[in-house]
Amino acid sequence: MFEKYVRLLKESQIKITPQRLEILKYLDEHRTHPTVDEIYSALKENNPALSKTTVYNSVDILLNHGLIQSITISGSELRYDFKHGMHHHFLCKKCGEIIDINVECPNLGSMLECGHEVEEVHGYFKGICKKCSKGETNRNGS
Amino acid sequence: MFEKYVRLLKESQIKITPQRLEILKYLDEHRTHPTVDEIYSALKENNPALSKTTVYNSVDILLNHGLIQSITISGSELRYDFKHGMHHHFLCKKCGEIIDINVECPNLGSMLECGHEVEEVHGYFKGICKKCSKGETNRNGS
DNA sequence: TATTAAATTGTAATAAATACAAATTAGAAA
DNA sequence: TTTCTAATTTGTATTTATTACAATTTAATA
Ligand SMILES: [Mn+2]
Ligand SMILES: [Mn+2]
Ligand SMILES: [Zn+2]
Ligand SMILES: [Zn+2]
Protein backbone atom coordinates (compact mmCIF):
# COMPACT_ATOMS: atom_id res chain seq x y z
CA MET A 1 0.00 0.00 0.00
CA PHE A 2 2.58 2.52 1.12
CA GLU A 3 5.79 0.75 0.01
CA LYS A 4 6.38 3.26 -2.78
CA TYR A 5 6.14 6.22 -0.41
CA VAL A 6 8.15 4.55 2.35
CA ARG A 7 10.89 4.06 -0.23
CA LEU A 8 10.68 7.68 -1.40
CA LEU A 9 10.94 9.02 2.15
CA LYS A 10 13.81 6.63 2.97
CA GLU A 11 15.71 7.72 -0.12
CA SER A 12 15.31 11.33 1.00
CA GLN A 13 16.47 10.36 4.49
CA ILE A 14 13.54 11.95 6.24
CA LYS A 15 11.55 10.31 9.01
CA ILE A 16 8.71 8.09 7.96
CA THR A 17 5.47 9.16 9.60
CA PRO A 18 1.89 8.13 8.77
CA GLN A 19 1.00 11.74 8.03
CA ARG A 20 3.80 12.18 5.50
CA LEU A 21 2.94 8.88 3.84
CA GLU A 22 -0.72 9.85 3.54
CA ILE A 23 0.07 13.27 2.12
CA LEU A 24 2.56 11.92 -0.40
CA LYS A 25 0.15 9.17 -1.45
CA TYR A 26 -2.70 11.65 -1.71
CA LEU A 27 -0.69 13.90 -4.01
CA ASP A 28 0.41 10.95 -6.12
CA GLU A 29 -3.15 9.71 -6.54
CA HIS A 30 -4.80 13.12 -6.94
CA ARG A 31 -3.08 15.06 -9.66
CA THR A 32 -5.44 18.00 -9.14
CA HIS A 33 -2.83 20.34 -7.62
CA PRO A 34 -4.65 20.71 -4.29
CA THR A 35 -4.09 23.43 -1.71
CA VAL A 36 -3.03 22.63 1.86
CA ASP A 37 -6.63 23.05 2.88
CA GLU A 38 -7.86 20.58 0.30
CA ILE A 39 -5.26 17.99 1.34
CA TYR A 40 -6.15 18.59 4.97
CA SER A 41 -9.90 18.23 4.45
CA ALA A 42 -9.50 15.06 2.40
CA LEU A 43 -7.17 13.33 4.86
CA LYS A 44 -9.04 14.46 7.95
CA GLU A 45 -11.86 12.09 6.92
CA ASN A 46 -9.80 9.04 7.84
CA ASN A 47 -7.69 10.76 10.48
CA PRO A 48 -9.77 13.25 12.49
CA ALA A 49 -6.74 14.03 14.68
CA LEU A 50 -4.81 15.46 11.77
CA SER A 51 -3.61 19.02 12.26
CA LYS A 52 -3.40 21.56 9.49
CA THR A 53 -0.01 22.60 10.82
CA THR A 54 1.18 19.08 10.08
CA VAL A 55 0.08 19.43 6.49
CA TYR A 56 1.96 22.71 6.22
CA ASN A 57 5.05 21.19 7.83
CA SER A 58 4.87 18.07 5.71
CA VAL A 59 4.48 19.73 2.34
CA ASP A 60 7.39 21.99 3.32
CA ILE A 61 9.72 19.09 3.97
CA LEU A 62 8.52 17.11 0.96
CA LEU A 63 9.12 20.24 -1.10
CA ASN A 64 12.59 20.80 0.28
CA HIS A 65 13.55 17.25 -0.59
CA GLY A 66 12.16 17.53 -4.10
CA LEU A 67 9.47 14.88 -3.74
CA ILE A 68 6.73 17.37 -4.60
CA GLN A 69 6.64 20.79 -6.22
CA SER A 70 4.67 23.90 -5.42
CA ILE A 71 2.48 25.61 -7.98
CA THR A 72 1.93 29.36 -7.73
CA ILE A 73 -0.27 29.65 -10.80
CA SER A 74 -3.38 30.92 -9.04
CA GLY A 75 -2.03 33.60 -6.69
CA SER A 76 -2.89 34.00 -3.01
CA GLU A 77 -2.79 30.25 -2.45
CA LEU A 78 -0.08 27.66 -2.92
CA ARG A 79 -0.88 24.38 -4.62
CA TYR A 80 1.11 21.16 -4.55
CA ASP A 81 1.93 18.51 -7.10
CA PHE A 82 3.57 15.11 -6.87
CA LYS A 83 6.80 15.30 -8.86
CA HIS A 84 6.27 13.21 -11.95
CA GLY A 85 8.52 14.36 -14.73
CA MET A 86 8.81 17.86 -16.11
CA HIS A 87 5.55 19.36 -17.24
CA HIS A 88 3.83 22.72 -17.43
CA HIS A 89 0.36 23.83 -16.32
CA PHE A 90 -2.74 25.38 -17.81
CA LEU A 91 -5.17 27.24 -15.54
CA CYS A 92 -8.71 27.56 -16.83
CA LYS A 93 -10.09 30.94 -15.80
CA LYS A 94 -13.63 29.62 -16.10
CA CYS A 95 -13.70 26.29 -14.23
CA GLY A 96 -10.49 26.80 -12.26
CA GLU A 97 -9.06 23.43 -13.24
CA ILE A 98 -5.28 23.18 -13.49
CA ILE A 99 -4.35 20.87 -16.34
CA ASP A 100 -0.98 19.21 -16.90
CA ILE A 101 0.72 20.21 -20.14
CA ASN A 102 3.39 17.76 -21.16
CA VAL A 103 6.03 19.87 -22.82
CA GLU A 104 9.70 20.44 -22.29
CA CYS A 105 11.03 23.94 -21.82
CA PRO A 106 13.18 24.87 -24.82
CA ASN A 107 14.45 27.94 -22.96
CA LEU A 108 16.24 25.86 -20.37
CA GLY A 109 19.37 25.57 -22.51
CA SER A 110 19.85 29.32 -22.83
CA MET A 111 18.93 29.80 -19.18
CA LEU A 112 21.76 27.51 -18.15
CA GLU A 113 24.18 29.78 -20.00
CA CYS A 114 22.88 33.11 -18.71
CA GLY A 115 24.86 33.04 -15.47
CA HIS A 116 22.08 32.27 -13.03
CA GLU A 117 21.96 28.86 -11.31
CA VAL A 118 18.62 27.45 -12.44
CA GLU A 119 17.00 25.00 -10.02
CA GLU A 120 13.37 25.10 -11.07
CA VAL A 121 11.50 25.67 -14.31
CA HIS A 122 7.80 26.50 -14.34
CA GLY A 123 5.57 27.16 -17.30
CA TYR A 124 2.05 28.47 -16.73
CA PHE A 125 -0.56 29.07 -19.38
CA LYS A 126 -3.90 30.67 -18.57
CA GLY A 127 -7.09 30.89 -20.57
CA ILE A 128 -10.24 28.86 -21.19
CA CYS A 129 -9.91 25.10 -21.28
CA LYS A 130 -11.14 22.89 -24.09
CA LYS A 131 -14.18 21.68 -22.14
CA CYS A 132 -15.24 25.19 -21.08
CA SER A 133 -14.83 26.74 -24.52
CA LYS A 134 -17.13 24.03 -25.88
CA GLY A 135 -19.73 25.40 -23.50
CA GLU A 136 -19.92 22.34 -21.33
CA THR A 137 -21.02 22.61 -17.71
CA ASN A 138 -18.33 22.95 -15.10
CA ARG A 139 -17.97 23.10 -11.35
CA ASN A 140 -17.77 26.87 -11.14
CA GLY A 141 -20.99 27.38 -13.05
CA SER A 142 -21.15 30.64 -15.05
CA MET B 1 4.75 63.88 -16.85
CA PHE B 2 1.69 61.67 -17.04
CA GLU B 3 0.83 62.03 -20.76
CA LYS B 4 1.89 58.45 -21.49
CA TYR B 5 -0.33 57.05 -18.76
CA VAL B 6 -3.25 59.32 -19.57
CA ARG B 7 -3.06 57.98 -23.11
CA LEU B 8 -2.90 54.35 -21.94
CA LEU B 9 -5.94 54.77 -19.70
CA LYS B 10 -7.85 56.61 -22.44
CA GLU B 11 -7.07 53.87 -24.94
CA SER B 12 -8.46 51.36 -22.48
CA GLN B 13 -11.53 53.52 -21.96
CA ILE B 14 -11.25 53.57 -18.20
CA LYS B 15 -11.61 56.67 -16.07
CA ILE B 16 -8.51 58.71 -15.52
CA THR B 17 -7.83 59.21 -11.82
CA PRO B 18 -4.69 60.47 -10.09
CA GLN B 19 -4.39 57.18 -8.20
CA ARG B 20 -4.45 55.08 -11.36
CA LEU B 21 -1.94 57.35 -13.06
CA GLU B 22 0.43 57.14 -10.10
CA ILE B 23 0.17 53.37 -9.88
CA LEU B 24 0.71 52.86 -13.59
CA LYS B 25 3.64 55.27 -13.60
CA TYR B 26 5.14 53.61 -10.55
CA LEU B 27 4.99 50.18 -12.18
CA ASP B 28 6.47 51.54 -15.40
CA GLU B 29 9.36 53.18 -13.58
CA HIS B 30 9.95 50.41 -11.04
CA ARG B 31 10.36 47.12 -12.83
CA THR B 32 10.86 45.31 -9.51
CA HIS B 33 7.55 43.42 -9.59
CA PRO B 34 6.23 44.99 -6.38
CA THR B 35 3.38 43.71 -4.24
CA VAL B 36 0.29 45.80 -3.53
CA ASP B 37 1.78 46.66 -0.18
CA GLU B 38 5.02 47.87 -1.75
CA ILE B 39 3.15 50.03 -4.25
CA TYR B 40 0.95 51.36 -1.46
CA SER B 41 3.86 52.24 0.84
CA ALA B 42 5.78 53.95 -1.94
CA LEU B 43 2.88 56.08 -3.15
CA LYS B 44 1.61 56.92 0.31
CA GLU B 45 4.70 59.08 0.76
CA ASN B 46 3.39 61.70 -1.64
CA ASN B 47 -0.28 60.98 -1.03
CA PRO B 48 -0.96 60.18 2.62
CA ALA B 49 -4.68 59.89 1.89
CA LEU B 50 -4.15 56.89 -0.37
CA SER B 51 -6.08 53.81 0.61
CA LYS B 52 -4.77 50.30 0.17
CA THR B 53 -8.18 49.27 -1.15
CA THR B 54 -7.63 51.72 -3.98
CA VAL B 55 -4.38 50.03 -4.86
CA TYR B 56 -6.14 46.66 -4.91
CA ASN B 57 -8.99 48.09 -7.02
CA SER B 58 -6.63 49.85 -9.38
CA VAL B 59 -4.30 46.96 -10.08
CA ASP B 60 -7.41 44.83 -10.69
CA ILE B 61 -8.74 47.16 -13.34
CA LEU B 62 -5.33 47.76 -14.92
CA LEU B 63 -4.92 43.99 -15.01
CA ASN B 64 -8.32 43.39 -16.59
CA HIS B 65 -7.50 45.87 -19.33
CA GLY B 66 -4.12 44.31 -20.00
CA LEU B 67 -2.03 47.33 -19.02
CA ILE B 68 -0.18 45.36 -16.36
CA GLN B 69 0.28 41.68 -15.58
CA SER B 70 0.30 39.77 -12.33
CA ILE B 71 3.21 37.58 -11.28
CA THR B 72 2.58 34.58 -9.03
CA ILE B 73 6.17 33.39 -8.89
CA SER B 74 6.68 33.66 -5.15
CA GLY B 75 3.56 32.11 -3.69
CA SER B 76 1.11 33.63 -1.22
CA GLU B 77 1.56 37.14 -2.57
CA LEU B 78 0.69 38.63 -5.91
CA ARG B 79 3.18 40.88 -7.66
CA TYR B 80 2.57 43.30 -10.52
CA ASP B 81 4.49 44.23 -13.63
CA PHE B 82 4.02 46.94 -16.23
CA LYS B 83 3.31 45.18 -19.54
CA HIS B 84 6.38 45.69 -21.68
CA GLY B 85 6.63 42.92 -24.24
CA MET B 86 6.70 39.20 -23.58
CA HIS B 87 9.30 38.10 -21.09
CA HIS B 88 9.84 35.45 -18.44
CA HIS B 89 11.06 35.78 -14.85
CA PHE B 90 13.82 34.44 -12.66
CA LEU B 91 13.37 34.39 -8.87
CA CYS B 92 16.54 34.30 -6.81
CA LYS B 93 15.95 32.14 -3.76
CA LYS B 94 18.76 33.92 -1.94
CA CYS B 95 18.18 37.64 -2.43
CA GLY B 96 14.55 37.42 -3.51
CA GLU B 97 15.05 39.57 -6.57
CA ILE B 98 12.81 38.86 -9.57
CA ILE B 99 14.78 39.36 -12.76
CA ASP B 100 13.34 39.80 -16.24
CA ILE B 101 14.39 37.10 -18.71
CA ASN B 102 13.91 38.21 -22.27
CA VAL B 103 12.92 35.07 -24.08
CA GLU B 104 10.00 34.04 -26.23
CA CYS B 105 8.02 30.96 -25.33
CA PRO B 106 8.59 28.32 -28.02
CA ASN B 107 5.76 26.22 -26.55
CA LEU B 108 3.17 28.80 -27.48
CA GLY B 109 2.72 27.34 -30.96
CA SER B 110 1.85 23.88 -29.74
CA MET B 111 -0.32 25.34 -26.98
CA LEU B 112 -2.41 27.14 -29.57
CA GLU B 113 -3.13 23.80 -31.22
CA CYS B 114 -3.93 21.81 -28.09
CA GLY B 115 -7.58 22.88 -27.91
CA HIS B 116 -7.37 25.30 -24.99
CA GLU B 117 -7.81 29.04 -25.55
CA VAL B 118 -4.50 30.48 -24.37
CA GLU B 119 -4.69 34.05 -23.05
CA GLU B 120 -1.56 34.27 -20.92
CA VAL B 121 1.89 32.72 -21.01
CA HIS B 122 4.15 32.78 -17.98
CA GLY B 123 7.62 31.33 -17.61
CA TYR B 124 9.24 31.25 -14.18
CA PHE B 125 12.74 30.06 -13.37
CA LYS B 126 13.98 29.78 -9.81
CA GLY B 127 17.47 29.37 -8.40
CA ILE B 128 20.42 31.53 -7.38
CA CYS B 129 21.07 34.65 -9.37
CA LYS B 130 24.40 35.56 -10.92
CA LYS B 131 25.25 38.14 -8.25
CA CYS B 132 24.40 35.82 -5.35
CA SER B 133 26.30 32.84 -6.70
CA LYS B 134 29.37 35.05 -6.99
CA GLY B 135 29.07 35.52 -3.25
CA GLU B 136 28.29 39.21 -3.37
CA THR B 137 26.31 40.78 -0.57
CA ASN B 138 22.59 41.15 -1.06
CA ARG B 139 19.61 42.68 0.69
CA ASN B 140 18.49 39.47 2.39
CA GLY B 141 21.85 38.89 4.00
CA SER B 142 22.75 35.18 4.52
C1' DT C 1 12.75 -1.52 26.41
C1' DA C 2 14.53 3.05 27.22
C1' DT C 3 16.05 7.29 25.29
C1' DT C 4 15.89 11.40 22.68
C1' DA C 5 15.63 14.26 18.93
C1' DA C 6 12.15 15.15 15.76
C1' DA C 7 7.37 15.44 14.50
C1' DT C 8 2.57 16.37 15.55
C1' DT C 9 -0.99 18.91 17.55
C1' DG C 10 -3.65 22.92 18.86
C1' DT C 11 -3.79 27.56 19.60
C1' DA C 12 -2.44 32.20 18.71
C1' DA C 13 -0.54 35.72 15.78
C1' DT C 14 0.40 37.72 10.99
C1' DA C 15 -0.54 39.08 6.70
C1' DA C 16 -2.99 39.06 2.07
C1' DA C 17 -7.13 39.66 0.00
C1' DT C 18 -12.06 40.68 -0.13
C1' DA C 19 -16.56 42.94 1.21
C1' DC C 20 -19.00 46.88 1.86
C1' DA C 21 -21.08 51.45 3.03
C1' DA C 22 -20.19 56.41 3.15
C1' DA C 23 -17.77 60.25 1.05
C1' DT C 24 -15.66 62.03 -2.96
C1' DT C 25 -14.86 62.89 -7.80
C1' DA C 26 -14.36 62.38 -13.11
C1' DG C 27 -16.61 63.25 -16.98
C1' DA C 28 -20.81 64.05 -19.45
C1' DA C 29 -24.79 66.98 -20.02
C1' DA C 30 -27.10 71.24 -19.56
C1' DT D 1 -19.10 77.04 -16.33
C1' DT D 2 -22.27 74.63 -13.44
C1' DT D 3 -24.96 70.58 -12.41
C1' DC D 4 -25.60 65.84 -12.12
C1' DT D 5 -24.63 61.00 -11.57
C1' DA D 6 -22.38 56.86 -11.94
C1' DA D 7 -17.99 55.42 -10.84
C1' DT D 8 -14.19 55.70 -7.75
C1' DT D 9 -11.93 56.25 -3.43
C1' DT D 10 -11.63 55.72 1.33
C1' DG D 11 -11.77 53.43 5.78
C1' DT D 12 -13.19 49.75 8.32
C1' DA D 13 -14.47 45.04 9.01
C1' DT D 14 -14.10 40.26 7.59
C1' DT D 15 -12.25 36.35 5.59
C1' DT D 16 -8.56 33.33 4.49
C1' DA D 17 -3.67 31.67 3.93
C1' DT D 18 0.37 31.25 6.35
C1' DT D 19 3.58 31.38 10.19
C1' DA D 20 4.96 31.01 15.18
C1' DC D 21 5.32 28.41 19.07
C1' DA D 22 4.83 25.52 23.28
C1' DA D 23 3.13 21.09 24.93
C1' DT D 24 2.48 16.40 23.71
C1' DT D 25 3.51 12.44 21.15
C1' DT D 26 6.31 9.37 18.41
C1' DA D 27 9.98 7.29 15.13
C1' DA D 28 14.21 5.44 15.18
C1' DT D 29 18.33 4.14 17.51
C1' DA D 30 20.85 2.02 21.18
MN1 LIG E 1 0.98 18.98 -12.54
MN1 LIG F 1 8.97 41.54 -15.52
ZN1 LIG G 1 -12.39 25.07 -17.84
ZN1 LIG H 1 20.22 36.77 -5.80
Side-chain angles (χ1 to χ4, degrees):
Chain A
M1 197 66 169
F2 287 101
E3 308 81 30
K4 175 179 180 184
Y5 313 108
V6 169
R7 182 164 36 79
L8 285 171
L9 293 181
K10 268 193 184 148
E11 284 169 6
S12 296
Q13 294 183 303
I14 56 181
K15 268 195 188 169
I16 293 155
T17 70
Q19 293 86 347
R20 289 173 181 178
L21 289 171
E22 289 287 359
I23 290 168
L24 198 48
K25 180 168 184 280
Y26 183 83
L27 286 173
D28 190 18
E29 294 179 349
H30 300 83
R31 303 287 178 83
T32 53
H33 317 97
T35 60
V36 160
D37 200 63
E38 287 166 347
I39 300 169
Y40 170 73
S41 300
L43 298 184
K44 203 170 176 59
E45 299 265 317
N46 287 316
N47 175 12
L50 182 67
S51 162
K52 198 180 280 188
T53 302
T54 299
V55 183
Y56 274 105
N57 288 340
S58 298
V59 295
D60 269 359
I61 201 165
L62 295 175
L63 194 61
N64 289 335
H65 287 81
L67 295 174
I68 65 176
Q69 67 174 330
S70 67
I71 307 288
T72 58
I73 194 169
S74 52
S76 81
E77 72 193 347
L78 276 166
R79 294 177 169 275
Y80 296 90
D81 197 8
F82 189 83
K83 235 186 203 174
H84 57 103
M86 148 75 104
H87 61 284
H88 288 178
H89 293 100
F90 180 91
L91 169 69
C92 176
K93 290 177 177 179
K94 198 165 176 183
C95 67
E97 202 177 338
I98 297 171
I99 300 166
D100 282 349
I101 301 290
N102 291 303
V103 293
E104 280 296 316
C105 178
N107 285 129
L108 186 53
S110 54
M111 275 307 292
L112 293 176
E113 289 166 13
C114 72
H116 306 305
E117 287 177 35
V118 179
E119 295 171 3
E120 293 178 42
V121 179
H122 300 268
Y124 299 140
F125 302 95
K126 300 185 188 181
I128 310 295
C129 80
K130 206 186 295 190
K131 273 193 299 187
C132 285
S133 53
K134 277 184 188 158
E136 292 183 18
T137 54
N138 57 67
R139 65 185 158 93
N140 277 8
S142 102
Chain B
M1 196 65 167
F2 287 101
E3 309 81 31
K4 175 180 179 183
Y5 312 107
V6 169
R7 182 163 37 79
L8 284 171
L9 293 181
K10 268 191 183 150
E11 283 168 6
S12 297
Q13 295 184 304
I14 56 183
K15 267 192 186 171
I16 294 155
T17 70
Q19 293 87 346
R20 290 174 181 177
L21 289 172
E22 289 287 359
I23 291 167
L24 199 48
K25 180 167 183 283
Y26 183 83
L27 286 173
D28 190 19
E29 294 178 349
H30 299 83
R31 303 287 179 85
T32 53
H33 316 96
T35 60
V36 159
D37 200 63
E38 287 166 347
I39 300 169
Y40 170 73
S41 299
L43 299 183
K44 203 171 176 61
E45 298 265 316
N46 287 317
N47 175 14
L50 182 65
S51 162
K52 197 180 282 187
T53 302
T54 300
V55 182
Y56 275 106
N57 289 340
S58 298
V59 295
D60 269 358
I61 201 165
L62 296 176
L63 195 61
N64 290 335
H65 287 80
L67 295 174
I68 64 177
Q69 67 174 331
S70 67
I71 307 289
T72 58
I73 194 169
S74 52
S76 81
E77 70 189 350
L78 276 165
R79 295 177 169 277
Y80 296 91
D81 196 7
F82 190 84
K83 238 188 201 172
H84 58 105
M86 148 73 103
H87 63 284
H88 287 352
H89 293 100
F90 180 91
L91 168 69
C92 176
K93 290 177 175 179
K94 199 166 176 183
C95 67
E97 202 177 337
I98 296 172
I99 301 166
D100 283 350
I101 302 290
N102 291 303
V103 293
E104 280 295 316
C105 178
N107 285 129
L108 186 53
S110 55
M111 276 306 292
L112 294 174
E113 289 166 11
C114 72
H116 306 303
E117 286 177 34
V118 179
E119 294 172 3
E120 293 178 41
V121 178
H122 300 268
Y124 299 140
F125 302 95
K126 300 184 188 181
I128 310 296
C129 80
K130 207 184 298 190
K131 272 194 299 185
C132 285
S133 53
K134 277 184 191 155
E136 292 182 18
T137 54
N138 57 68
R139 64 183 159 95
N140 278 7
S142 100

